[in-house]
Amino acid sequence: MKTVAEVSRLTGVSVRTLHHYHAIGLLKPTKCTDAGYRLYDDTALERLQQILLFRALEFPLKDIQLILESPHFDRKRALEQQITLLTLKKEHLEDLIGLAREILQNGANKMDFSAFSTEKIDQYAAQAKAAYGKTPEYQEFAQKSQGRTSVETQQLHKQMMSLFAEFGAMRTSSPQGEEAQVRRLQDFITEHFYTCSNQVLAQLGEMYAAGGEFTQNIDQAGGPGTAAFVCQAIKAYC
């Protein structure tokens, strides 16, 4: 566990910003001590990495919160976008360095301003944002989340984790026999987030067992191996 000051030193994010993220429900501490100190574990730090990733893609905080709280969030896709954007920024800096060297050596005789253009970067960032906003699941999720308070969001998260805890209690049985529990999960997602077709559910199942924050949270709720069991149960159901 790390204190808010230690997280600030580690990440370069100011304590004030971390407090703000907590206040709006974007990044909650893992726990708060009786003295009021915020403490963050590795899962919270992983979420902070994802937040900073989307900030680099120039996403507004409210959009980042919607994306990260969506059960359909694809971390691999987000990382691929970050790599592309950083590569574009690297190329932009190299162009500026090359121009500065040319001016130093030859003087500013050539009036070329193309190296200053950020058109590629801006265009890619806009496309990345549009890609999330255009999916039917995201649009429906944004609509259903509109006006939802952070307390209500936390309550929904607890309810979903309770469903996974129930899966955990079943994980020693055959996943082929848990159709009713899978249907409850599917109905819950449809009611509170977006229409969860069998195709979407199958994708979610793969994501649950793929490692990272999803797998950690599900295994924490239901015990080790719960995420893999849920994935197998969803496969059998679909």
Side-chain angles (χ1 to χ4, degrees), residues 42 57 139 174:
D42 288 344
L57 287 170
Q139 291 176 349
S174 171

Side-chain angles (χ1 to χ4, degrees), residues 41-133:
D41 64 6
D42 288 344
T43 300
L45 292 178
E46 181 181 331
R47 183 177 173 92
L48 179 57
Q49 281 184 328
Q50 294 165 358
I51 292 168
L52 298 179
L53 180 157
F54 280 110
R55 289 300 287 160
L57 287 170
E58 301 177 6
F59 277 52
L61 291 179
K62 63 179 182 179
D63 289 349
I64 296 173
Q65 189 163 3
L66 280 176
I67 292 168
L68 293 182
E69 289 172 358
S70 167
H72 205 57
F73 171 58
D74 187 339
R75 185 169 181 268
K76 180 176 181 291
R77 178 190 180 198
L79 288 169
E80 289 170 348
Q81 290 175 331
Q82 175 69 351
I83 290 168
T84 300
L85 182 67
L86 288 174
T87 301
L88 289 172
K89 288 186 174 182
K90 176 176 175 286
E91 292 172 354
H92 177 63
L93 287 174
E94 288 173 345
D95 289 343
L96 288 175
I97 292 169
L99 176 62
R101 284 175 175 163
E102 184 177 352
I103 293 173
L104 180 63
Q105 293 173 1
N106 304 319
N109 298 321
K110 184 180 178 182
M111 293 294 103
D112 182 4
F113 291 86
S114 60
F116 295 98
S117 174
T118 60
E119 183 179 356
K120 283 185 179 180
I121 296 172
D122 297 339
Q123 191 176 59
Y124 181 80
Q127 289 173 351
K129 284 184 276 189
Y132 281 95

